[in-house]
């Protein structure tokens, strides 16, 4: 053992939690009959639209499950969060592409926000992959791992 402890941040940031909740709500609304955006209905065949809407639900459920896992089960939580954020990045990328493909320059406002969500998702995905690799190396070296606690008793 040696060196300073390894610190890993989990996905309990309000931005990530709210985004995952929104993905779950929007995907559910789409499956319950909400109007599909014109860009999606134009750019994606019906089967892909269903996969996209289901992906939003999966991203929300799996990502939130990962965020909710107690920190003493860090690897499980990060693995679930990785999967959820990866699906969120995929669905946001699909939507951004459909916006730009259908509306081109008219999609700059909505497309800009959706593209930012996709980039943020993939960025977080990369952070998790990096942290998982660091955890693997730390485990081999016998390094202590510290996870910042946001709530007392969440161990």
């Amino acid at each position: 053992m040696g060196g300073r402890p390894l610190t890993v941040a989990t996905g309990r940031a309000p931005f990530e939690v709210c985004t995952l909740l929104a993905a779950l709500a929007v995907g559910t609304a789409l499956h319950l009959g909400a109007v599909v955006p014109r860009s999606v209905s134009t750019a994606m065949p019906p089967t892909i639209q269903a996969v996209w809407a289901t992906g939003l639900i999966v991203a929300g459920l799996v990502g939130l499950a990962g965020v909710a896992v107690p920190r003493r089960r860090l690897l499980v939580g990060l693995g679930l969060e990785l999967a959820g954020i990866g699906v969120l990045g995929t669905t946001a990328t699909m939507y951004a592409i459909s916006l730009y493909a259908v509306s081109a320059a008219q999609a700059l406002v909505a497309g800009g926000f959706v593209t930012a969500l996709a980039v943020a998702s993939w960025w977080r995905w990369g952070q998790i992959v990096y942290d998982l690799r660091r955890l693997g190396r730390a485990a081999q070296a016998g390094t202590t791992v510290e996870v910042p606690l946001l709530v007392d008793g969440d161990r």
Side-chain angles (χ1 to χ4, degrees):
M1 291 197 228
R4 60 178 208 219
L6 172 68
T7 302
V8 176
T10 62
R12 293 193 178 184
F15 182 83
E16 185 174 340
V17 172
C18 288
T19 302
L20 291 167
L21 283 169
L24 177 59
V26 169
T28 301
L30 287 166
H31 275 288
L32 294 176
V35 176
V36 175
R38 184 178 65 84
S39 58
V40 170
S41 63
T42 302
M44 297 180 200
T47 303
I48 301 301
Q49 290 176 42
V51 168
W52 174 70
T54 301
L56 289 168
I57 294 170
V58 169
L61 289 174
V62 174
L64 289 168
V67 168
V69 168
R71 298 202 177 172
R72 66 181 177 275
R73 305 281 319 233
L74 181 62
L75 291 177
V76 171
L78 285 174
L80 289 169
E81 186 185 348
L82 179 71
I85 292 297
V87 175
L88 181 63
T90 301
T91 57
T93 301
M94 290 170 70
Y95 188 32
I97 290 169
S98 71
L99 278 166
Y100 291 122
V102 172
S103 301
Q106 293 176 344
L108 287 179
V109 173
F113 277 101
V114 175
T115 299
L117 174 62
V119 169
S121 298
W122 291 117
W123 188 329
R124 178 65 185 138
W125 188 88
Q127 287 178 323
I128 297 168
V129 168
Y130 176 73
D131 282 344
L132 286 170
R133 287 183 180 153
R134 289 174 51 226
L135 283 168
R137 287 193 300 269
Q140 289 177 341
T143 303
T144 304
V145 176
E146 290 182 1
V147 181
L149 297 177
L150 297 178
V151 179
D152 287 338
D154 179 27
R155 295 172 190 233

